[in-house]
Amino acid sequence: MADKISVLFTEEEVNARIREMGEQISKDYEGKSLHMVGILKGATFFACELAKRITVPVTIDFMSVSSYGDATESSGVVKITKDLDEPLEGKDVLVVEDIVDTGNTLSYLLDNLQKRGSSSVRLCSLLNKPDRRIKEVDVDYTGFVIPDAFVVGYGLDYAQKYRNLPYIGIVETE
Ligand code: 5GP
């Protein structure tokens, strides 16, 4: 049976917010180039939409991490399963993530990326669930702050489904 999904942010709302974020980031990085690091797979849709809205020169790379634990709970143990193709030396790096939940993944990842000789590392996340935070993470650019609910769409999955939804929704479980 198909899951029931209730809309949290419509396609128009998400796109409008990404446009605003792109404008803000373009202002903040004026005169510089930006190296975006998207986290597979969830951040791909967001990273591509955001990149299209940024007016300073942009390069883009992706990496993949896995967090040991079950599908909906992060365990705090993070492993890089696909590293970046390009070095970060001297670059202004913007890490692009789909959601910051407990903060376990990003706190590990930012620590790891900050040791690679970049000029700067900032974090941009489409969604932020501060109520669930276990590890403190500074999110420089947040799309939407959301309550503690499991969301899908715009790159976010439920058992690998629903990444392709053009909106963000909550899966209603019985
Ligand atoms: P954290 O390490 O911050 O707990 O979790 C980060 C990862 O957990 C995200 O990149 C995402 O893959 C997954 N995650 C956390 N909350 C949600 C959610 O509400 N929906 C989905 N689909 N994934 C989530």
Side-chain angles (χ1 to χ4, degrees):
M1 211 180 85
D3 301 299
K4 192 167 180 302
I5 297 170
S6 60
V7 177
L8 184 61
F9 300 111
T10 64
E11 180 173 5
E12 290 72 26
E13 286 170 329
V14 178
N15 289 340
R17 183 70 190 114
I18 295 176
R19 212 171 300 126
E20 284 174 0
M21 296 174 88
E23 283 169 14
Q24 183 65 51
I25 291 166
S26 303
K27 264 191 215 146
D28 293 352
Y29 286 86
E30 213 176 303
K32 295 180 179 170
S33 299
L34 187 56
H35 188 64
M36 287 175 59
V37 168
I39 311 304
L40 297 169
K41 300 170 187 169
T44 49
F45 291 72
F46 173 46
C48 295
E49 278 310 304
L50 183 65
K52 288 195 282 182
R53 306 295 171 198
I54 293 176
T55 51
V56 299
V58 168
T59 50
I60 189 159
D61 202 349
F62 288 95
M63 68 192 296
S64 185
V65 294
S66 74
S67 140
Y68 296 102
D70 66 34
T72 55
E73 287 295 327
S74 162
S75 64
V77 183
V78 181
K79 188 179 151 213
I80 294 176
T81 52
K82 182 216 171 287
D83 210 338
L84 296 168
D85 292 331
E86 306 289 332
L88 297 182
E89 269 111 38
K91 292 176 182 161
D92 287 302
V93 175
L94 184 66
V95 178
V96 180
E97 180 58 304
D98 49 5
I99 187 164
V100 184
D101 184 27
T102 63
N104 282 326
T105 308
L106 263 303
S107 107
Y108 168 85
L109 209 54
L110 290 173
D111 202 47
N112 180 290
L113 296 177
Q114 266 150 0
K115 292 177 184 147
R116 301 192 192 193
S118 56
S119 301
S120 66
V121 180
R122 282 186 186 168
L123 171 62
C124 175
S125 183
L126 179 59
L127 302 172
N128 190 351
K129 272 198 258 185
D131 295 348
R132 297 250 312 158
R133 205 70 95 248
I134 292 170
K135 298 242 176 77
E136 202 184 317
V137 174
D138 281 335
V139 187
D140 300 284
Y141 302 99
T142 298
F144 300 96
V145 174
I146 62 165
D148 181 8
F150 191 80
V151 292
V152 294
Y154 229 97
L156 288 146
D157 75 307
Y158 176 55
Q160 296 302 325
K161 288 187 296 184
Y162 307 124
R163 290 191 197 276
N164 60 318
L165 294 180
Y167 56 88
I168 292 167
I170 298 177
V171 183
E172 312 237 333
T173 45
E174 301 293 308

